CSV table of all heavy atoms in Angstrom, one decimal:
chain,number,residue,atom,x,y,z
F,1,GLN,N,0.0,5.3,-12.3
F,1,GLN,CA,1.3,5.0,-12.7
F,1,GLN,C,2.0,6.4,-13.0
F,1,GLN,O,3.3,6.4,-12.7
F,1,GLN,CB,1.2,4.3,-14.1
F,1,GLN,CG,2.5,3.8,-14.6
F,1,GLN,CD,3.3,3.0,-13.6
F,1,GLN,OE1,2.8,2.0,-13.1
F,1,GLN,NE2,4.5,3.3,-13.4
F,2,TYR,N,1.4,7.4,-13.5
F,2,TYR,CA,2.1,8.7,-13.7
F,2,TYR,C,2.6,9.2,-12.4
F,2,TYR,O,3.7,9.7,-12.4
F,2,TYR,CB,1.1,9.6,-14.4
F,2,TYR,CG,1.6,11.1,-14.5
F,2,TYR,CD1,2.5,11.3,-15.5
F,2,TYR,CD2,1.3,12.1,-13.6
F,2,TYR,CE1,3.1,12.6,-15.7
F,2,TYR,CE2,1.9,13.4,-13.8
F,2,TYR,CZ,2.7,13.6,-14.8
F,2,TYR,OH,3.3,14.9,-14.8
F,3,LEU,N,1.7,9.2,-11.3
F,3,LEU,CA,2.2,9.7,-10.0
F,3,LEU,C,3.4,9.0,-9.5
F,3,LEU,O,4.3,9.5,-8.9
F,3,LEU,CB,1.1,9.7,-9.1
F,3,LEU,CG,0.1,10.8,-9.2
F,3,LEU,CD1,-1.1,10.6,-8.3
F,3,LEU,CD2,0.7,12.2,-9.0
F,4,VAL,N,3.4,7.7,-9.7
F,4,VAL,CA,4.6,6.9,-9.2
F,4,VAL,C,5.8,7.4,-9.9
F,4,VAL,O,6.9,7.7,-9.3
F,4,VAL,CB,4.4,5.4,-9.5
F,4,VAL,CG1,5.7,4.6,-9.4
F,4,VAL,CG2,3.3,4.7,-8.6
F,5,ASN,N,5.8,7.5,-11.2
F,5,ASN,CA,7.1,8.0,-12.0
F,5,ASN,C,7.3,9.4,-11.6
F,5,ASN,O,8.5,9.8,-11.5
F,5,ASN,CB,6.8,7.9,-13.5
F,5,ASN,CG,6.6,6.4,-13.9
F,5,ASN,OD1,7.1,5.5,-13.2
F,5,ASN,ND2,5.9,6.2,-15.0
F,6,GLU,N,6.3,10.3,-11.5
F,6,GLU,CA,6.6,11.8,-11.3
F,6,GLU,C,7.2,12.0,-9.8
F,6,GLU,O,8.1,12.8,-9.7
F,6,GLU,CB,5.4,12.5,-11.5
F,6,GLU,CG,5.5,14.0,-11.5
F,6,GLU,CD,6.4,14.5,-12.6
F,6,GLU,OE1,6.5,13.9,-13.6
F,6,GLU,OE2,7.1,15.4,-12.4
F,7,LEU,N,6.7,11.2,-8.9
F,7,LEU,CA,7.2,11.5,-7.5
F,7,LEU,C,8.7,10.9,-7.4
F,7,LEU,O,9.5,11.4,-6.7
F,7,LEU,CB,6.3,10.8,-6.5
F,7,LEU,CG,5.4,11.7,-5.8
F,7,LEU,CD1,4.4,12.3,-6.8
F,7,LEU,CD2,4.5,11.0,-4.8
F,8,LYS,N,9.0,9.8,-8.1
F,8,LYS,CA,10.4,9.3,-8.2
F,8,LYS,C,11.3,10.4,-8.8
F,8,LYS,O,12.4,10.6,-8.3
F,8,LYS,CB,10.5,8.0,-9.1
F,8,LYS,CG,9.9,6.8,-8.4
F,8,LYS,CD,10.1,5.6,-9.4
F,8,LYS,CE,9.5,4.4,-8.7
F,8,LYS,NZ,9.7,3.1,-9.7
F,9,ARG,N,10.8,11.1,-9.8
F,9,ARG,CA,11.6,12.1,-10.5
F,9,ARG,C,11.7,13.3,-9.5
F,9,ARG,O,12.9,13.9,-9.5
F,9,ARG,CB,11.0,12.5,-11.8
F,9,ARG,CG,11.9,13.4,-12.7
F,9,ARG,CD,11.1,13.9,-13.9
F,9,ARG,NE,10.0,14.8,-13.5
F,9,ARG,CZ,10.2,16.1,-13.2
F,9,ARG,NH1,11.4,16.6,-13.4
F,9,ARG,NH2,9.2,16.9,-12.9
F,10,ALA,N,10.7,13.6,-8.8
F,10,ALA,CA,10.8,14.8,-7.9
F,10,ALA,C,11.7,14.5,-6.8
F,10,ALA,O,12.5,15.4,-6.3
F,10,ALA,CB,9.4,15.1,-7.4
F,11,ARG,N,11.7,13.3,-6.3
F,11,ARG,CA,12.7,12.9,-5.2
F,11,ARG,C,14.1,13.0,-5.6
F,11,ARG,O,15.0,13.5,-4.9
F,11,ARG,CB,12.4,11.5,-4.7
F,11,ARG,CG,11.3,11.3,-3.8
F,11,ARG,CD,11.3,10.0,-3.1
F,11,ARG,NE,10.2,9.7,-2.2
F,11,ARG,CZ,9.0,9.2,-2.6
F,11,ARG,NH1,8.9,8.7,-3.8
F,11,ARG,NH2,8.0,9.0,-1.8
F,12,ARG,N,14.4,12.6,-6.9
F,12,ARG,CA,15.8,12.6,-7.4
F,12,ARG,C,16.3,14.0,-7.6
F,12,ARG,O,17.4,14.3,-7.3
F,12,ARG,CB,15.7,11.9,-8.7
F,12,ARG,CG,17.1,12.0,-9.5
F,12,ARG,CD,17.2,11.1,-10.7
F,12,ARG,NE,17.0,9.7,-10.6
F,12,ARG,CZ,16.9,8.9,-11.5
F,12,ARG,NH1,17.0,9.2,-12.7
F,12,ARG,NH2,16.7,7.5,-11.2
F,13,TYR,N,15.4,14.9,-8.0
F,13,TYR,CA,15.9,16.3,-8.3
F,13,TYR,C,15.4,17.3,-7.3
F,13,TYR,O,15.6,18.5,-7.5
F,13,TYR,CB,15.3,16.7,-9.7
F,13,TYR,CG,15.9,15.8,-10.8
F,13,TYR,CD1,15.0,14.9,-11.4
F,13,TYR,CD2,17.2,16.0,-11.3
F,13,TYR,CE1,15.6,14.1,-12.5
F,13,TYR,CE2,17.7,15.2,-12.3
F,13,TYR,CZ,16.9,14.3,-12.8
F,13,TYR,OH,17.4,13.5,-14.0
F,14,GLY,N,14.8,16.9,-6.2
F,14,GLY,CA,14.4,17.8,-5.1
F,14,GLY,C,13.3,18.8,-5.5
F,14,GLY,O,13.3,19.9,-5.0
F,15,SER,N,12.5,18.4,-6.4
F,15,SER,CA,11.3,19.3,-6.9
F,15,SER,C,10.1,19.0,-6.1
F,15,SER,O,10.0,18.1,-5.4
F,15,SER,CB,11.2,19.2,-8.4
F,15,SER,OG,10.8,17.9,-8.8
F,16,GLN,N,9.0,19.8,-6.5
F,16,GLN,CA,7.8,19.6,-5.8
F,16,GLN,C,6.7,19.2,-6.9
F,16,GLN,O,6.8,19.6,-8.0
F,16,GLN,CB,7.3,20.9,-5.1
F,16,GLN,CG,8.2,21.3,-3.9
F,16,GLN,CD,7.7,22.6,-3.3
F,16,GLN,OE1,7.9,23.7,-3.9
F,16,GLN,NE2,7.1,22.5,-2.2
F,17,VAL,N,5.7,18.5,-6.4
F,17,VAL,CA,4.5,18.1,-7.3
F,17,VAL,C,3.3,18.5,-6.5
F,17,VAL,O,3.1,18.1,-5.3
F,17,VAL,CB,4.6,16.6,-7.6
F,17,VAL,CG1,3.4,16.3,-8.4
F,17,VAL,CG2,5.9,16.3,-8.3
F,18,THR,N,2.4,19.2,-7.1
F,18,THR,CA,1.2,19.6,-6.5
F,18,THR,C,0.0,18.9,-7.3
F,18,THR,O,0.0,18.9,-8.5
F,18,THR,CB,0.9,21.1,-6.4
F,18,THR,OG1,2.0,21.6,-5.6
F,18,THR,CG2,-0.4,21.5,-5.8
F,19,ALA,N,-1.0,18.5,-6.5
F,19,ALA,CA,-2.2,17.9,-7.2
F,19,ALA,C,-3.5,18.5,-6.5
F,19,ALA,O,-3.4,18.8,-5.3
F,19,ALA,CB,-2.2,16.4,-7.0
F,20,PHE,N,-4.5,18.7,-7.3
F,20,PHE,CA,-5.7,19.1,-6.7
F,20,PHE,C,-6.9,18.2,-7.3
F,20,PHE,O,-6.9,17.8,-8.3
F,20,PHE,CB,-6.0,20.6,-6.9
F,20,PHE,CG,-6.2,21.1,-8.2
F,20,PHE,CD1,-7.4,21.0,-8.9
F,20,PHE,CD2,-5.2,21.8,-8.9
F,20,PHE,CE1,-7.6,21.4,-10.2
F,20,PHE,CE2,-5.2,22.2,-10.2
F,20,PHE,CZ,-6.5,22.1,-10.8
F,21,PHE,N,-7.8,18.0,-6.3
F,21,PHE,CA,-8.9,17.1,-6.5
F,21,PHE,C,-10.2,18.0,-6.6
F,21,PHE,O,-10.4,18.9,-5.7
F,21,PHE,CB,-9.1,16.2,-5.2
F,21,PHE,CG,-9.8,14.9,-5.5
F,21,PHE,CD1,-9.1,13.7,-5.5
F,21,PHE,CD2,-11.1,15.0,-5.7
F,21,PHE,CE1,-9.8,12.5,-5.8
F,21,PHE,CE2,-11.8,13.7,-6.0
F,21,PHE,CZ,-11.1,12.5,-6.0
F,22,LEU,N,-11.0,17.9,-7.6
F,22,LEU,CA,-12.2,18.7,-7.7
F,22,LEU,C,-13.4,17.8,-7.9
F,22,LEU,O,-13.3,16.8,-8.6
F,22,LEU,CB,-12.1,19.8,-8.8
F,22,LEU,CG,-12.1,19.3,-10.2
F,22,LEU,CD1,-13.5,19.4,-10.8
F,22,LEU,CD2,-11.2,20.2,-11.1
F,23,ASP,N,-14.5,18.2,-7.3
F,23,ASP,CA,-15.7,17.4,-7.3
F,23,ASP,C,-16.9,18.5,-7.6
F,23,ASP,O,-17.0,19.5,-6.9
F,23,ASP,CB,-16.1,16.7,-6.0
F,23,ASP,CG,-17.3,16.0,-6.2
F,23,ASP,OD1,-18.4,16.4,-5.8
F,23,ASP,OD2,-17.2,14.7,-6.5
F,24,LEU,N,-17.7,18.3,-8.7
F,24,LEU,CA,-18.7,19.1,-9.0
F,24,LEU,C,-19.8,19.2,-7.9
F,24,LEU,O,-20.2,18.2,-7.3
F,24,LEU,CB,-19.4,18.8,-10.3
F,24,LEU,CG,-18.5,18.6,-11.6
F,24,LEU,CD1,-19.2,18.4,-12.8
F,24,LEU,CD2,-17.7,20.0,-11.7
F,25,ASP,N,-20.2,20.4,-7.6
F,25,ASP,CA,-21.3,20.6,-6.6
F,25,ASP,C,-22.7,20.3,-7.1
F,25,ASP,O,-23.1,20.8,-8.2
F,25,ASP,CB,-21.2,22.0,-6.0
F,25,ASP,CG,-19.8,22.4,-5.4
F,25,ASP,OD1,-19.3,21.4,-4.8
F,25,ASP,OD2,-19.5,23.6,-5.5
F,26,ASP,N,-23.4,19.4,-6.4
F,26,ASP,CA,-24.8,19.1,-6.7
F,26,ASP,C,-25.0,18.7,-8.1
F,26,ASP,O,-26.0,19.0,-8.8
F,26,ASP,CB,-25.7,20.4,-6.5
F,26,ASP,CG,-25.5,20.9,-5.0
F,26,ASP,OD1,-25.5,20.0,-4.1
F,26,ASP,OD2,-25.4,22.1,-4.9
F,27,PHE,N,-24.1,17.9,-8.7
F,27,PHE,CA,-24.2,17.4,-10.0
F,27,PHE,C,-25.3,16.5,-10.2
F,27,PHE,O,-25.9,16.3,-11.3
F,27,PHE,CB,-22.8,16.8,-10.4
F,27,PHE,CG,-22.8,16.3,-11.9
F,27,PHE,CD1,-22.7,17.2,-12.9
F,27,PHE,CD2,-22.9,15.0,-12.2
F,27,PHE,CE1,-22.7,16.8,-14.3
F,27,PHE,CE2,-22.8,14.5,-13.5
F,27,PHE,CZ,-22.8,15.5,-14.6
F,28,LYS,N,-25.7,15.8,-9.2
F,28,LYS,CA,-26.9,14.9,-9.3
F,28,LYS,C,-28.1,15.6,-9.7
F,28,LYS,O,-29.0,14.9,-10.5
F,28,LYS,CB,-27.1,14.2,-7.9
F,28,LYS,CG,-28.2,13.1,-8.0
F,28,LYS,CD,-28.2,12.4,-6.6
F,28,LYS,CE,-29.3,11.3,-6.6
F,28,LYS,NZ,-30.8,11.9,-6.8
F,29,GLN,N,-28.3,16.9,-9.5
F,29,GLN,CA,-29.5,17.6,-9.9
F,29,GLN,C,-29.5,17.8,-11.4
F,29,GLN,O,-30.6,17.8,-12.0
F,29,GLN,CB,-29.5,19.0,-9.2
F,29,GLN,CG,-29.7,18.9,-7.7
F,29,GLN,CD,-29.8,20.3,-7.0
F,29,GLN,OE1,-29.7,21.3,-7.8
F,29,GLN,NE2,-29.7,20.3,-5.8
F,30,VAL,N,-28.3,17.9,-12.0
F,30,VAL,CA,-28.2,17.9,-13.6
F,30,VAL,C,-28.8,16.7,-14.1
F,30,VAL,O,-29.7,16.7,-15.0
F,30,VAL,CB,-26.8,18.2,-14.0
F,30,VAL,CG1,-26.8,18.1,-15.5
F,30,VAL,CG2,-26.3,19.5,-13.4
F,31,ASN,N,-28.4,15.5,-13.7
F,31,ASN,CA,-28.9,14.2,-14.1
F,31,ASN,C,-30.4,14.1,-13.9
F,31,ASN,O,-31.1,13.6,-14.6
F,31,ASN,CB,-28.1,13.0,-13.5
F,31,ASN,CG,-26.7,13.0,-14.1
F,31,ASN,OD1,-26.4,13.3,-15.2
F,31,ASN,ND2,-25.8,12.5,-13.2
F,32,ASP,N,-30.8,14.5,-12.7
F,32,ASP,CA,-32.2,14.3,-12.3
F,32,ASP,C,-33.2,15.2,-13.1
F,32,ASP,O,-34.2,14.8,-13.4
F,32,ASP,CB,-32.4,14.6,-10.8
F,32,ASP,CG,-31.7,13.6,-9.9
F,32,ASP,OD1,-31.4,12.4,-10.4
F,32,ASP,OD2,-31.5,13.8,-8.7
F,33,CYS,N,-32.7,16.5,-13.4
F,33,CYS,CA,-33.6,17.4,-14.0
F,33,CYS,C,-33.5,17.3,-15.5
F,33,CYS,O,-34.5,17.5,-16.2
F,33,CYS,CB,-33.2,18.8,-13.6
F,33,CYS,SG,-33.5,19.2,-11.9
F,34,HIS,N,-32.3,17.0,-16.1
F,34,HIS,CA,-32.1,17.0,-17.5
F,34,HIS,C,-31.8,15.7,-18.2
F,34,HIS,O,-31.8,15.5,-19.4
F,34,HIS,CB,-31.0,18.0,-17.9
F,34,HIS,CG,-31.3,19.4,-17.4
F,34,HIS,ND1,-32.2,20.2,-18.0
F,34,HIS,CD2,-30.8,20.0,-16.3
F,34,HIS,CE1,-32.2,21.4,-17.4
F,34,HIS,NE2,-31.4,21.4,-16.3
F,35,GLY,N,-31.5,14.6,-17.4
F,35,GLY,CA,-31.2,13.3,-17.9
F,35,GLY,C,-29.7,13.0,-17.9
F,35,GLY,O,-28.9,14.0,-17.9
F,36,HIS,N,-29.4,11.8,-18.0
F,36,HIS,CA,-28.0,11.4,-18.0
F,36,HIS,C,-27.2,11.8,-19.3
F,36,HIS,O,-26.0,11.9,-19.2
F,36,HIS,CB,-27.9,9.9,-17.7
F,36,HIS,CG,-28.2,9.5,-16.3
F,36,HIS,ND1,-27.4,9.6,-15.3
F,36,HIS,CD2,-29.4,9.0,-15.8
F,36,HIS,CE1,-28.0,9.2,-14.2
F,36,HIS,NE2,-29.2,8.9,-14.5
F,37,LEU,N,-27.9,11.9,-20.4
F,37,LEU,CA,-27.3,12.3,-21.6
F,37,LEU,C,-26.7,13.7,-21.5
F,37,LEU,O,-25.6,14.0,-21.9
F,37,LEU,CB,-28.2,12.2,-22.8
F,37,LEU,CG,-28.5,10.7,-23.3
F,37,LEU,CD1,-29.4,10.8,-24.5
F,37,LEU,CD2,-27.3,10.0,-23.6
F,38,VAL,N,-27.6,14.6,-20.9
F,38,VAL,CA,-27.1,16.0,-20.7
F,38,VAL,C,-26.0,16.0,-19.7
F,38,VAL,O,-25.0,16.7,-19.9
F,38,VAL,CB,-28.2,16.9,-20.1
F,38,VAL,CG1,-27.8,18.2,-19.7
F,38,VAL,CG2,-29.3,17.0,-21.2
F,39,GLY,N,-26.1,15.2,-18.7
F,39,GLY,CA,-25.0,15.0,-17.6
F,39,GLY,C,-23.7,14.6,-18.3
F,39,GLY,O,-22.6,15.1,-18.0
F,40,SER,N,-23.8,13.6,-19.1
F,40,SER,CA,-22.5,13.1,-19.8
F,40,SER,C,-21.9,14.2,-20.7
F,40,SER,O,-20.7,14.4,-20.7
F,40,SER,CB,-22.8,11.9,-20.6
F,40,SER,OG,-23.3,10.8,-19.8
F,41,HIS,N,-22.8,15.0,-21.3
F,41,HIS,CA,-22.2,16.1,-22.2
F,41,HIS,C,-21.7,17.2,-21.4
F,41,HIS,O,-20.6,17.7,-21.7
F,41,HIS,CB,-23.3,16.7,-23.1
F,41,HIS,CG,-22.9,17.5,-24.3
F,41,HIS,ND1,-22.3,18.7,-24.2
F,41,HIS,CD2,-22.7,17.1,-25.5
F,41,HIS,CE1,-22.0,19.1,-25.3
F,41,HIS,NE2,-22.1,18.2,-26.2
């Protein structure tokens, strides 16, 4: 919902919106070695 509203505003005023997507590397090893409680923390 935020992106819908923000892109409408950017179109109206001719501005730019940048987004970045990040994914943790090998996070499964944290859960496997230390447990899901540590992973959640």
Side-chain angles (χ1 to χ4, degrees):
Q1 187 58 51
Y2 174 79
L3 283 175
V4 168
N5 295 332
E6 190 59 34
L7 263 60
K8 285 181 180 178
R9 191 184 67 83
R11 282 194 182 94
R12 174 177 297 179
Y13 297 106
S15 59
Q16 293 178 291
V17 178
T18 298
F20 63 84
F21 205 109
L22 71 93
D23 183 272
L24 301 184
D25 298 328
D26 304 315
F27 183 70
K28 184 175 182 298
Q29 295 181 6
V30 175
N31 289 330
D32 292 343
C33 296
H34 303 284
H36 288 278
L37 291 179
V38 170
S40 295
H41 199 281

